[in-house]
Amino acid sequence: MEKIFKRCQSLYDVPTHYCPGCGHGIAHRLVAEVVDELDIREKTIGIAPVGCAVVAYDYWNFDCSEAAHGRALAVATAIKRVHPQNVVFTYQGDGDLAAIGTNETIHAANRGENLSVVFINNAVYGMTGGQLAPTTLLGQKTSTSIEGREKKAHGYPLKISEMLALLPGVCYIERVSLQSPPEVLKAKRAIKQAFENQINNLGFSLVEILSPCPTYWGLSPKESLDWIRDVMQKEFPLGRIK
Amino acid sequence: MKILLSGNEAIAQGAIQAGCSFYAGYPITPQNEIIAYMAKHMPSSRTGVCRTGKGQSQGVFIQAESELAAINMVYGASAAGARAMTSSSSPGISLMQEGISYIAGSQLPAVIVNIMRGGPGLGNIAPAQSDYFQATRSGGHGDYHLIVLAPACVQEAYDLTQTGFDLADRYRVPVMILGDGILGQMMEPVQLSTKKIKVSLAKSWALDGCQGRKPNIIKSFFLREGALEDANLKLQKNYAIIQQKETRYEGLFLSDAKVILVAYGTMARIAKSAISQLRSAGKKIGLIRPISLWPFPQQPFSIKNSRVKYLVLEMSYGQMLEDVRLAVGGRREVEFLGRSGGGVPSEEQIINKVKKIL
Ligand SMILES: Cc1ncc(C[n+]2csc(CCOP(=O)(O)OP(=O)(O)O)c2C)c(N)n1
Ligand code: SF4
Ligand SMILES: [Mg+2]
């Protein structure tokens, strides 16, 4: 009998360290499936962020580099310029890409670096214990916005994807979600598009993935998925942005 | 062939000669000639890197959006196997410290040029030697070292930059070329090297896709209990070898000297002028000029004559002074003369000080 579902070659067979219901594991798998399907495992170089996904290279079976917090796109820029034949992508959280690393993000995009970005928006800083992120929703409680995010004190949820879409160097931006199996499939298609764009030398592509962090949302895994659908997707509408 | 170059240009030309195939930098005075030279001779290219250092190289030049980006680009380029360099001046080097620490922790080779200016803060653009501590004491976080090389003339700036790339590759450590604004701006004839450089990008640990091998990982993160200590001990072992093999210095008149001036870089040139005046007046004065500031050359300080005295000269208020005291170990007198913030100890000040000590 033919096996129709198996482990991808681009994923190691190791236990996960992520919390139950976390979106990172799903996103890792989607990346691995895309790499397998495009048959680019031996050409791929991934840049892991500083954030909960800091050890992404413990899961991915291809060349990887660490980057200091926020600097993944500077590291990726250089690797891709040195090895234009390779497929180079970054995998970054919202704190990494849209707070400490905003400058690197905007300028890599504006230079039109031929890179693919997997951007995990979970509306908190997971790794450091659930603090306010640039993407935290108004009213959302975190350990540093105890009464909930308040616009006067904390500003508004940052729409970095919409901002980047303004830049001529950017070729593709889509926002997807891990909220349900059909959405997960759409997320995978978007990641594949971002990788294909790079292979076709089209420039900077970014996929923003709304991803659950049950631990710091104080919700069960199921409630987290519902919260993405009912609350988060209202602030961060899904679909092609550019 | 000899050509006239400024110290900054000589560093850039030395890098190209050494097969530097990736440069990223952000403008800051007094080192702007380096970034301009690299832009001219290493035009921005997304189609592969140069492998020779000849003429117009095909390396990658990027004007980064900040020194943070520049040093992390160097991290990436080095991880990808390129000979990579950045240059800046004091405030920019401060911004780079986290990245330098990551480069050291990830065992990546890289060359970082600091053409020092006055500080603290924005300070001024006058030459200074106030970043000695930052350069030699692992200016970023963690237990690590840079090899720090301090040229005193334009020729040496050219030569040591090439040495820097070789040492960086040999030991997989970041190397700093530490100069000051005078050295950077000064023009002198430089004998260009005709040595053909063969730089291989094929480094077994570098990232270029895992074709036919297990994936490579470049990282400085070691979470498992004991893993970071193991990694750090590996670094320390490497540093011990470097300390043994890679100290460099120039010694002058050490056999008869009663007072030995200790100075590096531009300050050592002024010291030399003072020495030639003093010696023609019959005074027995010598010089130790550390060329590697880390590892610091201890050996020339083991002079038998117990009446010899040292006079440390710096364009700072006494930073290398601490290394000299450590090298001397309390066995000899160590005097100091230093100025900073744009002030440079003059020949006359040195001579007066020596006369007081003698
Ligand atoms: C320079 C620096 N500042 C702060 C930190 C601490 N830190 C580690 S991860 C992180 C935030 C991560 O949040 P995010 O990027 O959203 O990733 P997540 O964990 O949510 O996936 C912070 C602040 C660090 N490692 N380095
Ligand atoms: S803290 Fe949140 S983002 Fe981090 S592993 Fe746990 S669920 Fe995932
Ligand atoms: Mg986050």
Side-chain angles (χ1 to χ4, degrees):
Chain A
M1 208 170 68
E2 198 203 340
K3 247 194 197 172
I4 56 162
F5 187 80
K6 50 183 193 260
R7 177 170 303 282
C8 357
Q9 202 191 353
S10 294
L11 271 190
Y12 291 122
D13 186 3
V14 290
T16 181
H17 81 285
Y18 293 113
C19 308
C22 175
H24 276 303
I26 301 169
H28 285 14
R29 179 170 180 111
L30 296 183
V31 169
E33 285 181 0
V34 166
V35 169
D36 276 13
E37 285 171 22
L38 295 173
D39 196 19
I40 51 170
R41 192 183 71 83
E42 296 187 332
K43 282 172 73 170
T44 297
I45 302 172
I47 320 297
V50 173
C52 279
V54 62
V55 291
Y57 44 71
D58 284 350
Y59 300 102
W60 286 325
N61 181 12
F62 43 71
D63 277 8
C64 284
S65 178
E66 165 184 287
H69 192 25
R71 317 297 163 213
L73 276 164
V75 172
T77 291
I79 294 179
K80 181 69 182 180
R81 297 276 193 118
V82 172
H83 294 310
Q85 293 358 304
N86 286 75
V87 177
V88 182
F89 76 94
T90 67
Y91 182 104
Q92 302 176 256
D94 37 47
D96 197 79
L97 182 137
I100 195 169
T102 318
N103 205 27
E104 283 75 7
T105 304
I106 290 176
H107 287 280
N110 194 45
R111 287 189 304 264
E113 297 294 342
N114 191 26
L115 294 167
S116 314
V117 180
V118 179
F119 167 33
I120 305 294
N121 177 356
N122 59 9
V124 283
Y125 284 13
M127 191 188 207
T128 40
Q131 295 88 351
L132 181 92
T135 46
T136 295
L137 303 194
L138 287 174
Q140 186 185 337
K141 291 185 174 149
T142 72
S143 68
T144 50
S145 57
I146 299 158
E147 306 286 320
R149 183 175 197 155
E150 204 268 306
K151 58 191 178 220
K152 283 230 173 75
H154 310 114
Y156 298 84
L158 188 69
K159 304 243 173 41
I160 191 90
S161 290
E162 279 82 350
M163 287 166 64
L164 294 173
L166 296 172
L167 304 175
V170 170
C171 104
Y172 168 71
I173 296 195
E174 181 151 359
R175 186 180 287 121
V176 297
S177 141
L178 301 180
Q179 176 269 320
S180 66
E183 295 300 335
V184 169
L185 287 180
K186 280 193 216 159
K188 178 174 164 187
R189 275 202 291 278
I191 295 171
K192 196 166 187 176
Q193 183 69 53
F195 276 66
E196 282 170 343
N197 291 343
Q198 182 181 158
I199 292 165
N200 295 323
N201 281 310
L202 296 179
F204 190 90
S205 299
L206 179 144
V207 181
E208 175 176 342
I209 303 178
L210 307 187
S211 173
C213 173
T215 303
Y216 292 115
W217 293 355
L219 300 173
S220 72
K222 166 75 173 71
E223 288 165 344
S224 298
L225 298 179
D226 294 344
W227 191 76
I228 294 181
R229 181 192 59 213
D230 300 336
V231 182
M232 206 176 172
Q233 287 179 191
K234 301 242 153 64
E235 181 67 32
F236 293 106
L238 303 187
R240 179 106 184 225
I241 298 170
K242 184 167 185 178
Chain B
M1 187 179 60
K2 273 200 173 180
I3 57 170
L4 198 62
L5 291 175
S6 71
N8 283 335
E9 290 168 332
I11 287 169
Q13 183 56 43
I16 289 170
Q17 171 65 21
C20 171
S21 51
F22 185 96
Y23 173 91
Y26 187 84
I28 183 169
T29 308
Q31 63 80 53
N32 290 318
E33 295 77 13
I34 302 180
I35 181 167
Y37 199 95
M38 295 310 264
K40 188 166 172 198
H41 295 272
M42 193 181 262
S44 174
S45 143
R46 295 189 185 182
T47 52
V49 292
C50 77
R51 278 143 219 274
T52 70
K54 279 199 308 187
Q56 279 264 332
S57 81
Q58 300 207 326
V60 178
F61 167 88
I62 302 179
Q63 179 171 333
E65 59 271 31
S66 70
E67 290 86 355
L68 286 181
I71 193 69
N72 286 287
M73 286 175 183
V74 164
Y75 182 101
S78 177
R83 281 198 150 182
M85 180 171 99
T86 184
S87 63
S88 186
S89 178
S90 309
I93 298 290
S94 294
L95 260 186
M96 289 186 191
Q97 291 303 330
E98 183 201 23
I100 296 173
S101 167
Y102 272 68
I103 288 172
S106 303
Q107 288 191 275
L108 290 174
V111 172
I112 299 140
V113 182
N114 181 4
I115 302 299
M116 292 179 279
R117 57 186 257 176
L122 193 53
N124 63 18
I125 57 170
Q129 293 184 321
S130 308
D131 303 348
Y132 181 95
F133 281 151
Q134 187 195 51
T136 58
R137 305 295 197 266
S138 58
H141 58 288
D143 281 302
Y144 72 92
H145 283 289
L146 313 173
I147 294 178
V148 184
L149 303 175
C153 66
V154 177
Q155 179 72 52
E156 201 175 33
Y158 175 75
D159 295 338
L160 282 182
T161 303
Q162 296 172 64
T163 307
F165 276 97
D166 288 339
L167 294 177
D169 268 354
R170 187 172 319 144
Y171 296 103
R172 289 180 62 181
V173 293
V175 173
M176 180 170 280
I177 307 296
L178 192 68
D180 60 71
I182 298 176
L183 176 78
Q185 304 297 323
M186 172 170 67
M187 296 197 76
E188 288 178 328
V190 175
Q191 178 72 51
L192 294 182
S193 160
T194 49
K195 204 173 65 181
K196 264 228 170 74
I197 311 257
K198 258 226 214 95
V199 183
S200 168
L201 282 183
K203 292 168 172 159
S204 61
W205 48 264
L207 308 180
D208 55 1
C210 60
Q211 195 167 9
R213 59 162 172 78
K214 283 204 174 129
N216 283 337
I217 294 169
I218 300 293
K219 62 160 189 163
S220 63
F221 186 55
F222 301 94
L223 205 51
R224 186 178 50 75
E225 202 182 316
L228 180 59
E229 187 168 18
D230 289 348
N232 281 345
L233 286 173
K234 214 168 121 187
L235 294 186
Q236 291 303 317
K237 239 172 144 176
N238 195 27
Y239 297 147
I241 297 170
I242 294 170
Q243 278 179 303
Q244 223 174 45
K245 292 195 176 165
E246 303 298 348
T247 57
R248 290 170 161 76
Y249 69 93
E250 179 191 358
L252 274 184
F253 310 115
L254 295 184
S255 50
D256 73 347
K258 293 207 166 106
V259 173
I260 296 175
L261 309 187
V262 189
Y264 70 95
T266 296
M267 200 58 244
R269 292 174 70 126
I270 303 169
K272 275 186 189 175
S273 311
I275 290 171
S276 68
Q277 283 204 42
L278 285 160
R279 286 195 82 94
S280 47
K283 311 263 188 264
K284 299 210 154 114
I285 311 299
L287 173 76
I288 295 174
R289 175 172 76 89
I291 296 171
S292 61
L293 303 182
W294 197 91
F296 189 78
Q298 308 259 340
Q299 189 258 323
F301 293 92
S302 53
I303 286 171
K304 299 245 160 47
N305 176 4
S306 64
R307 286 208 302 262
V308 75
K309 290 177 186 168
Y310 294 97
L311 171 57
V312 179
L313 306 168
E314 291 183 74
M315 283 144 63
S316 89
Y317 294 120
Q319 300 193 13
M320 182 176 69
L321 175 62
E322 291 196 1
D323 279 334
V324 175
R325 287 200 174 121
L326 283 170
V328 166
R331 296 183 302 270
R332 307 278 184 271
E333 265 179 62
V334 178
E335 298 276 345
F336 178 72
L337 174 64
R339 293 175 62 188
S340 152
V344 179
S346 66
E347 242 175 88
E348 201 188 341
Q349 284 175 316
I350 297 170
I351 290 168
N352 288 341
K353 181 88 182 178
V354 168
K355 284 184 176 157
K356 266 191 224 150
I357 297 171
L358 264 173

